[in-house]
Amino acid sequence: MIVAQNATAQEQATRTEAATEPQTAPRGEEIVVTGSRIAGTKITEALPVTVVGQDEIAATAAVSGDELLRSIPQMSDQSFNSSNGQTSSNFARGDVGSIDLRGLGVGNTLVLLNGRRLVQHPSSQASTSLAPVITYNSNSIPVFGIQRLEVLRDGAAALYGTDAVAGVVNTILRDNVNGGGVSLQYGGAEGTGLREFNGSGYLGTDFAENRGNISLLFNYTNRSALTSQDQDFTATGDHRFFDDFTGTVFEGSNSLDDTSTLSQWGNFTTGGIRVRRGTTNITSAGGVFSIQPTANGGCSADLGGGICIDDATRATTGADRNTRWDSQKNFPQSIIPRLDRINVFANGHYDLTDNLTLFGEAGYYYAKTRSIQDSVFSIGSIQMTVPASNYWNPFGPVTFANGMANPNRLAGIDAPAAGLPVTMTSYRFVDLGPTVVDVTNRQFRALLGLRGEALGFNWETAALYSQATVRDVQDGISATLLQQNLALSTPDAYNPFSGGNPDDPTGLPISAGNLAAGEDFRIKTVRRGKSTLAQWDLRASKADLLTLPAGDVGMAIGAELRRDSYLDDRDERVDGTMTWTDSVTGFEQPSDLFGVSPTPDTKGSRTVFAAYAELAVPLIAPEMNIPLVRSFELQLAGRYEHYSDFGSIAKPKIAGAWDLFDGWRIRGSWAQGFRAPNLEQTKATIITRGNTRRDYIRCEADLRAGRIATFDDCSQSFVTTGRRAGNPDLKPETSTTWTIGTVLQPPAFNTGRLRTTFTLDYWQVKQKGIVGVFGEGNALIADYLARVQGSSDPTVFRLAPTADDVALFAGTGIDPVGRVQYVDDQYRNLEPQTVRGIDFGLNIGLRDTGIGDFTFAANAAYLLKYFRDVSPDIQILLDARAAGDINIDTVIPEGGDQIRRDQFPKWRGSGSLTWKLGQFTAGGFVNYTGSVIDNDISINGENLLIKAYTTASLYVQYDLKGGFTDGTQLRVGVRNITNAQPPIDSSSFGYMGSLHSPIPRYWYVNVRKTF
């Protein structure tokens, strides 16, 4: 442990919140705790700061920032994670983890490294309100190099500016190292192929007669993938009959079958032309037909090899459920991708004079992941036409252009002699194999500064530049090249009518012929992202600006100038550079990447100037001998920021600490905060996003016609395109935060050998103007309501109804409608939300007991309220459902209290216990996540309950002494010792990856050596 002086403020915060040893600063410096910018002040005692030290980090056995943050109860779900949306390039993929304190949403927690901002990760993804959000990448921080992690659980915009709505996470890395150390760790998860090696170390030396120091931290991690086939709950998307649901209303529910209706058994149409063989209908009246196994029955024409044509859209329920695609069963999809990660960080300082120090930092992060994901599939808004000339087309020409007779045209049909082109309305290219996704993340950081003392002020100035890049490479299909291949009149053409494998329709669908044909049109697509942060700051503080009767008034002032930039450079086949024109219909599509909606590049930058001031004002001191007021101190702070794109904003803060008597403190704060809309929310042009949405008006038609018994049986779900757009007129999201709490350190329980601290903090955050969109799913519900009332929603654009659509709605009393083409939407400031809760902390340290030293720490977060107001448009839908105008099982994002809904459990908690006796150490860590409700499944108005989840970890360690082995530690540990399985939910992977871990019991061994 590095030794220094003047750490009083930090010692108090550390003992109060984390029961760790005091963490210290480089020699001759004073520690500035995250909650204040005034070195040496005691005002930090007024602020709820959780400090996670090296012992706590070791107990969690975390090797990544994502794993470490999940162990802190005040952290909410990790929406950027390895299992979320990995099949879509519209998600942030690869080695990325998000930070979301209090559950207020990604982007509402400011992340600092050594007290200064981190550059944001350059890939965005949609929030729960469907607006693009950007995170700081928690995995870019070297866990082994962390000296302490400070979490300020309080609004701090008045000190730090935008994003500090929920609080601040400040990572302090080791510095001023004189010596070195190395750590080697190897571990693996039972019953899986997941194996992990981690090599870390630090090295440093003093120079110039101790006037300077340079320190180096490094880490390398290599991890194999955790695949879907490693565990039963991820090995299939069909969880209807898992034991978790036995005897419940959800047993056998179709909503628990998340296998895909988009499969190798395609749906097609001849463009409204019915095809017959004599009096037998080969297609529907609208020309619709599908491919299915002959054994399913209901065939209109046999194609041989165990497959046939059905004269309707393919059924996916009942006996035809076998035509669904279960990718997790057939492909070893990556639940956690294969990883190589490197973290290198150097810092140093040199005393130019006794009052002037030059300091600097340099960091580099590199990570490359490989993920195996599902195969390419079609979307409803971009459909491919198979030319009549296709060799495998069952409605192709009698004779090909080269004079060869067509062996695959169905005999006796009334299709024209020249054949009919066929449109693929639903198809998945499973016979081309899974999609490989390679993501490379890089991030570097360089800082150079000066600090010193002048006029009684400790001052510091620094220039910082940081850049993050991402390169996301994915397998894809060129629409232009695909259609060229489909036009071939030879067996070299791709055959979309084979059901995958014509020789064995019940086996793994790999067709050698189609696999070879795929070489003509398979491509690699690249999405590149880049974000930069350039910042200059000047800060000064003085702990004794002036003296009042109760003590010294402290002051901090500062100014910052920074420039943020953001670039999302999409592949040229997606951003409009390369388009595709259907050779049959002549219709031009803005995207040449099959199955991917067009997305233009997004580019933007902004410049921000900021100034702040802070005062620490003691009003009452113990020497005044005032009853029930041993001491009282205030923090007053304010910050002004000017943005080049939307103007100025200023926010204040006030906090206080009141000691009634020795050992009992009451603390509280009130603050206003804000989050500036990110550059994608303001700069993006029209962005199209395809998501599978249920078309409720078609479900209503099925229900009225008696084809289904409840909405739970409805299979009218399709990929629906939402056209979203940035809004330069967006205003900042604003917030008001207050906390009140107490710290108890009873003298009777704080003796020479015993240290006890109990903390309790009650807090509330109210946000206004949260950025989001109405959403295409909500728009389809609004359209459902409008159409049962005889009108339609103007934002929902549909194709003209086909003859089959007319038949679907016949006799239901609803006017027939076509499939959804797209939904118009735009980012906007939405309704407010209020979040309220209580934090608990208990820390006990007992030393010199005769049987060792004991340290116990418990931390819990209780969510009292998460009230989200709904927009007037959503309220209309809720009222209609309550009135029975639309079906009770219509899933609407409800307002009101969101506690236990999806990612907001009522209780989260963790606890650690460490025992040290001589050279032996043992430790344990328990993490608890309370139950939540799965909003995505409803039967008779009842939602699925996701049970509470608890994991426990243990380790034993022995420190060797003497000789060459002196300074060597041997550790054996196990994470998730009870082999707890995450509770099953309705998602395809069967668990909630933002809250729960899929990793079973995990054993590891670790060897450390210091020198």
Side-chain angles (χ1 to χ4, degrees), residues 112-136:
L112 307 175
L113 182 63
N114 293 333
R116 287 182 170 86
R117 284 179 177 265
L118 278 172
V119 67
Q120 292 184 320
H121 185 70
S123 292
S124 66
Q125 66 185 44
S127 67
T128 54
S129 58
L130 300 182
V133 291
I134 301 171
T135 185
Y136 302 91

mmCIF file of all heavy atoms in Angstrom, residues 112-136:
data_model
loop_
_atom_site.group_PDB
_atom_site.id
_atom_site.type_symbol
_atom_site.label_atom_id
_atom_site.label_comp_id
_atom_site.label_asym_id
_atom_site.label_seq_id
_atom_site.Cartn_x
_atom_site.Cartn_y
_atom_site.Cartn_z
ATOM 1 N N LEU A 112 -15.639 9.257 -14.186
ATOM 2 C CA LEU A 112 -14.349 9.936 -14.163
ATOM 3 C C LEU A 112 -13.227 8.915 -14.005
ATOM 4 O O LEU A 112 -13.419 7.851 -13.410
ATOM 5 C CB LEU A 112 -14.277 10.931 -13.005
ATOM 6 C CG LEU A 112 -15.391 11.974 -12.889
ATOM 7 C CD1 LEU A 112 -15.202 12.786 -11.609
ATOM 8 C CD2 LEU A 112 -15.444 12.872 -14.100
ATOM 9 N N LEU A 113 -12.086 9.249 -14.516
ATOM 10 C CA LEU A 113 -10.874 8.478 -14.287
ATOM 11 C C LEU A 113 -9.850 9.427 -13.679
ATOM 12 O O LEU A 113 -9.474 10.430 -14.294
ATOM 13 C CB LEU A 113 -10.345 7.892 -15.601
ATOM 14 C CG LEU A 113 -9.087 7.020 -15.481
ATOM 15 C CD1 LEU A 113 -9.362 5.788 -14.632
ATOM 16 C CD2 LEU A 113 -8.575 6.619 -16.862
ATOM 17 N N ASN A 114 -9.467 9.130 -12.447
ATOM 18 C CA ASN A 114 -8.567 10.014 -11.709
ATOM 19 C C ASN A 114 -9.090 11.444 -11.667
ATOM 20 O O ASN A 114 -8.343 12.421 -11.781
ATOM 21 C CB ASN A 114 -7.163 9.983 -12.316
ATOM 22 C CG ASN A 114 -6.486 8.639 -12.152
ATOM 23 O OD1 ASN A 114 -6.782 7.894 -11.221
ATOM 24 N ND2 ASN A 114 -5.596 8.306 -13.065
ATOM 25 N N GLY A 115 -10.418 11.575 -11.529
ATOM 26 C CA GLY A 115 -11.027 12.877 -11.336
ATOM 27 C C GLY A 115 -11.363 13.645 -12.585
ATOM 28 O O GLY A 115 -11.876 14.766 -12.494
ATOM 29 N N ARG A 116 -11.123 13.076 -13.775
ATOM 30 C CA ARG A 116 -11.444 13.765 -15.025
ATOM 31 C C ARG A 116 -12.252 12.848 -15.927
ATOM 32 O O ARG A 116 -12.178 11.631 -15.829
ATOM 33 C CB ARG A 116 -10.166 14.232 -15.729
ATOM 34 C CG ARG A 116 -9.513 15.424 -15.036
ATOM 35 C CD ARG A 116 -8.278 15.914 -15.774
ATOM 36 N NE ARG A 116 -7.814 17.186 -15.232
ATOM 37 C CZ ARG A 116 -6.990 17.314 -14.199
ATOM 38 N NH1 ARG A 116 -6.551 16.219 -13.578
ATOM 39 N NH2 ARG A 116 -6.623 18.512 -13.774
ATOM 40 N N ARG A 117 -13.003 13.473 -16.828
ATOM 41 C CA ARG A 117 -13.940 12.750 -17.671
ATOM 42 C C ARG A 117 -13.256 11.684 -18.523
ATOM 43 O O ARG A 117 -12.102 11.829 -18.947
ATOM 44 C CB ARG A 117 -14.671 13.716 -18.619
ATOM 45 C CG ARG A 117 -15.756 14.526 -17.954
ATOM 46 C CD ARG A 117 -16.420 15.471 -18.935
ATOM 47 N NE ARG A 117 -17.508 16.192 -18.280
ATOM 48 C CZ ARG A 117 -18.782 15.818 -18.307
ATOM 49 N NH1 ARG A 117 -19.132 14.757 -18.996
ATOM 50 N NH2 ARG A 117 -19.692 16.515 -17.665
ATOM 51 N N LEU A 118 -14.045 10.631 -18.783
ATOM 52 C CA LEU A 118 -13.669 9.620 -19.765
ATOM 53 C C LEU A 118 -14.345 9.933 -21.096
ATOM 54 O O LEU A 118 -15.433 10.509 -21.132
ATOM 55 C CB LEU A 118 -14.117 8.233 -19.311
ATOM 56 C CG LEU A 118 -13.240 7.469 -18.321
ATOM 57 C CD1 LEU A 118 -13.973 6.222 -17.862
ATOM 58 C CD2 LEU A 118 -11.911 7.087 -18.953
ATOM 59 N N VAL A 119 -13.725 9.517 -22.170
ATOM 60 C CA VAL A 119 -14.377 9.620 -23.464
ATOM 61 C C VAL A 119 -15.487 8.586 -23.531
ATOM 62 O O VAL A 119 -15.389 7.503 -22.950
ATOM 63 C CB VAL A 119 -13.356 9.415 -24.611
ATOM 64 C CG1 VAL A 119 -12.832 7.978 -24.627
ATOM 65 C CG2 VAL A 119 -13.964 9.786 -25.959
ATOM 66 N N GLN A 120 -16.569 8.922 -24.218
ATOM 67 C CA GLN A 120 -17.690 8.004 -24.313
ATOM 68 C C GLN A 120 -17.460 6.961 -25.405
ATOM 69 O O GLN A 120 -16.761 7.206 -26.390
ATOM 70 C CB GLN A 120 -18.981 8.764 -24.584
ATOM 71 C CG GLN A 120 -19.420 9.629 -23.414
ATOM 72 C CD GLN A 120 -20.744 10.310 -23.647
ATOM 73 O OE1 GLN A 120 -21.028 10.787 -24.737
ATOM 74 N NE2 GLN A 120 -21.578 10.361 -22.622
ATOM 75 N N HIS A 121 -18.069 5.795 -25.202
ATOM 76 C CA HIS A 121 -17.981 4.731 -26.193
ATOM 77 C C HIS A 121 -18.685 5.171 -27.477
ATOM 78 O O HIS A 121 -19.775 5.753 -27.414
ATOM 79 C CB HIS A 121 -18.616 3.457 -25.639
ATOM 80 C CG HIS A 121 -18.472 2.274 -26.542
ATOM 81 N ND1 HIS A 121 -17.270 1.662 -26.770
ATOM 82 C CD2 HIS A 121 -19.389 1.594 -27.291
ATOM 83 C CE1 HIS A 121 -17.447 0.648 -27.598
ATOM 84 N NE2 HIS A 121 -18.712 0.597 -27.938
ATOM 85 N N PRO A 122 -18.117 4.916 -28.646
ATOM 86 C CA PRO A 122 -18.674 5.491 -29.878
ATOM 87 C C PRO A 122 -19.840 4.733 -30.504
ATOM 88 O O PRO A 122 -20.266 5.113 -31.598
ATOM 89 C CB PRO A 122 -17.459 5.482 -30.823
ATOM 90 C CG PRO A 122 -16.603 4.368 -30.348
ATOM 91 C CD PRO A 122 -16.791 4.303 -28.861
ATOM 92 N N SER A 123 -20.355 3.703 -29.871
ATOM 93 C CA SER A 123 -21.531 3.006 -30.404
ATOM 94 C C SER A 123 -22.719 3.237 -29.486
ATOM 95 O O SER A 123 -22.603 3.136 -28.266
ATOM 96 C CB SER A 123 -21.279 1.491 -30.520
ATOM 97 O OG SER A 123 -20.315 1.228 -31.508
ATOM 98 N N SER A 124 -23.848 3.531 -30.087
ATOM 99 C CA SER A 124 -25.061 3.771 -29.318
ATOM 100 C C SER A 124 -25.995 2.573 -29.448
ATOM 101 O O SER A 124 -25.783 1.680 -30.266
ATOM 102 C CB SER A 124 -25.781 5.018 -29.839
ATOM 103 O OG SER A 124 -26.265 4.795 -31.153
ATOM 104 N N GLN A 125 -27.032 2.563 -28.640
ATOM 105 C CA GLN A 125 -28.144 1.642 -28.815
ATOM 106 C C GLN A 125 -29.374 2.281 -28.184
ATOM 107 O O GLN A 125 -29.278 3.267 -27.456
ATOM 108 C CB GLN A 125 -27.860 0.270 -28.213
ATOM 109 C CG GLN A 125 -27.724 0.218 -26.718
ATOM 110 C CD GLN A 125 -27.312 -1.176 -26.232
ATOM 111 O OE1 GLN A 125 -26.438 -1.824 -26.801
ATOM 112 N NE2 GLN A 125 -27.940 -1.639 -25.174
ATOM 113 N N ALA A 126 -30.531 1.725 -28.504
ATOM 114 C CA ALA A 126 -31.779 2.347 -28.076
ATOM 115 C C ALA A 126 -32.020 2.123 -26.589
ATOM 116 O O ALA A 126 -31.773 1.041 -26.053
ATOM 117 C CB ALA A 126 -32.943 1.797 -28.895
ATOM 118 N N SER A 127 -32.521 3.159 -25.922
ATOM 119 C CA SER A 127 -32.914 3.068 -24.527
ATOM 120 C C SER A 127 -34.316 2.486 -24.433
ATOM 121 O O SER A 127 -34.942 2.139 -25.431
ATOM 122 C CB SER A 127 -32.898 4.467 -23.893
ATOM 123 O OG SER A 127 -33.917 5.270 -24.485
ATOM 124 N N THR A 128 -34.841 2.387 -23.210
ATOM 125 C CA THR A 128 -36.209 1.894 -23.045
ATOM 126 C C THR A 128 -37.219 2.833 -23.694
ATOM 127 O O THR A 128 -38.313 2.420 -24.050
ATOM 128 C CB THR A 128 -36.545 1.747 -21.549
ATOM 129 O OG1 THR A 128 -36.299 2.996 -20.878
ATOM 130 C CG2 THR A 128 -35.689 0.660 -20.911
ATOM 131 N N SER A 129 -36.842 4.110 -23.855
ATOM 132 C CA SER A 129 -37.718 5.056 -24.556
ATOM 133 C C SER A 129 -37.382 5.145 -26.036
ATOM 134 O O SER A 129 -37.870 6.037 -26.736
ATOM 135 C CB SER A 129 -37.622 6.443 -23.914
ATOM 136 O OG SER A 129 -36.289 6.913 -23.933
ATOM 137 N N LEU A 130 -36.517 4.211 -26.515
ATOM 138 C CA LEU A 130 -36.175 4.038 -27.931
ATOM 139 C C LEU A 130 -35.342 5.174 -28.503
ATOM 140 O O LEU A 130 -35.211 5.291 -29.728
ATOM 141 C CB LEU A 130 -37.435 3.835 -28.780
ATOM 142 C CG LEU A 130 -38.293 2.612 -28.425
ATOM 143 C CD1 LEU A 130 -39.483 2.501 -29.358
ATOM 144 C CD2 LEU A 130 -37.461 1.334 -28.469
ATOM 145 N N ALA A 131 -34.751 6.005 -27.666
ATOM 146 C CA ALA A 131 -33.816 7.019 -28.136
ATOM 147 C C ALA A 131 -32.402 6.447 -28.056
ATOM 148 O O ALA A 131 -32.096 5.657 -27.165
ATOM 149 C CB ALA A 131 -33.923 8.278 -27.287
ATOM 150 N N PRO A 132 -31.508 6.837 -28.974
ATOM 151 C CA PRO A 132 -30.135 6.330 -28.906
ATOM 152 C C PRO A 132 -29.404 6.902 -27.702
ATOM 153 O O PRO A 132 -29.403 8.111 -27.472
ATOM 154 C CB PRO A 132 -29.518 6.819 -30.226
ATOM 155 C CG PRO A 132 -30.323 8.013 -30.608
ATOM 156 C CD PRO A 132 -31.715 7.742 -30.109
ATOM 157 N N VAL A 133 -28.797 6.034 -26.912
ATOM 158 C CA VAL A 133 -28.034 6.469 -25.744
ATOM 159 C C VAL A 133 -26.605 5.960 -25.879
ATOM 160 O O VAL A 133 -26.327 4.971 -26.543
ATOM 161 C CB VAL A 133 -28.661 5.967 -24.422
ATOM 162 C CG1 VAL A 133 -29.977 6.659 -24.172
ATOM 163 C CG2 VAL A 133 -28.845 4.452 -24.431
ATOM 164 N N ILE A 134 -25.701 6.678 -25.227
ATOM 165 C CA ILE A 134 -24.276 6.387 -25.304
ATOM 166 C C ILE A 134 -23.752 6.222 -23.890
ATOM 167 O O ILE A 134 -24.160 6.941 -22.977
ATOM 168 C CB ILE A 134 -23.529 7.521 -26.031
ATOM 169 C CG1 ILE A 134 -24.083 7.702 -27.448
ATOM 170 C CG2 ILE A 134 -22.033 7.236 -26.101
ATOM 171 C CD1 ILE A 134 -23.559 8.923 -28.164
ATOM 172 N N THR A 135 -22.840 5.291 -23.706
ATOM 173 C CA THR A 135 -22.322 4.997 -22.379
ATOM 174 C C THR A 135 -20.817 5.208 -22.331
ATOM 175 O O THR A 135 -20.127 5.281 -23.361
ATOM 176 C CB THR A 135 -22.629 3.546 -21.980
ATOM 177 O OG1 THR A 135 -22.215 3.320 -20.625
ATOM 178 C CG2 THR A 135 -21.885 2.563 -22.867
ATOM 179 N N TYR A 136 -20.308 5.312 -21.112
ATOM 180 C CA TYR A 136 -18.876 5.160 -20.877
ATOM 181 C C TYR A 136 -18.621 3.657 -20.762
ATOM 182 O O TYR A 136 -19.370 2.939 -20.107
ATOM 183 C CB TYR A 136 -18.465 5.862 -19.590
ATOM 184 C CG TYR A 136 -18.794 7.336 -19.563
ATOM 185 C CD1 TYR A 136 -20.008 7.782 -19.044
ATOM 186 C CD2 TYR A 136 -17.905 8.280 -20.053
ATOM 187 C CE1 TYR A 136 -20.316 9.138 -19.004
ATOM 188 C CE2 TYR A 136 -18.215 9.638 -20.028
ATOM 189 C CZ TYR A 136 -19.416 10.055 -19.506
ATOM 190 O OH TYR A 136 -19.736 11.391 -19.474
#
